Amino acid sequence: MIDYLLKFPSKAIAEQFGIANGFAQLDEESGVVVSSLASHTHALREIGEHNGDGNYWVLFRDLVGIPIPEGGEQFIFWASNMTITDDAGSVIEVPRPEFNPDVPNTFWA
């Protein structure tokens, strides 16, 4: 299981990405994009705008090892499997940016 905090430049781009990759669909009657909030493979929560800067945030939980869709890397702000190598050459996990006021502090309940 991997958690992702995704940051899109706009709601429209988030919706287009969701539709293109099967995580959302257009309701033809209402014209509204509806996200697939949960399945046997994933769960997602739309956070929306955080600081009024137009960026659109989504919390996504991959339950089964879904391959990252082509172009999806650019929207990953943080992932629970992110690591860096410190100055001593040790690989360490990147903690979720919980105390950054520019990042939504939304978690799974």
Side-chain angles (χ1 to χ4, degrees):
M1 178 175 69
I2 303 170
D3 285 339
Y4 295 95
L5 186 57
L6 305 173
K7 180 181 174 184
F8 295 90
S10 69
K11 181 178 182 179
I13 292 172
E15 290 175 339
Q16 290 169 0
F17 183 81
I19 291 169
N21 293 289
F23 302 115
Q25 61 187 16
L26 180 63
D27 181 319
E28 295 194 21
E29 284 186 28
S30 68
V32 174
V33 174
V34 179
S35 296
S36 170
L37 299 179
S39 73
H40 293 291
T41 62
H42 77 278
L44 69 86
R45 177 170 182 199
E46 293 182 49
I47 299 169
E49 285 193 39
H50 176 63
N51 283 336
D53 57 6
N55 290 315
Y56 198 79
W57 297 82
V58 174
L59 186 58
F60 186 90
R61 177 166 280 172
D62 173 1
L63 300 171
V64 297
I66 301 168
I68 297 171
E70 184 175 334
E73 295 88 2
Q74 66 185 313
F75 304 120
I76 299 172
F77 184 83
W78 173 85
S80 60
N81 65 348
M82 279 184 155
T83 60
I84 58 170
T85 304
D86 67 12
D87 293 338
S90 300
V91 176
I92 56 173
E93 291 182 15
V94 175
R96 182 164 175 180
E98 294 181 49
F99 304 106
N100 182 337
D102 296 325
V103 179
N105 199 7
T106 302
F107 292 85
W108 293 106

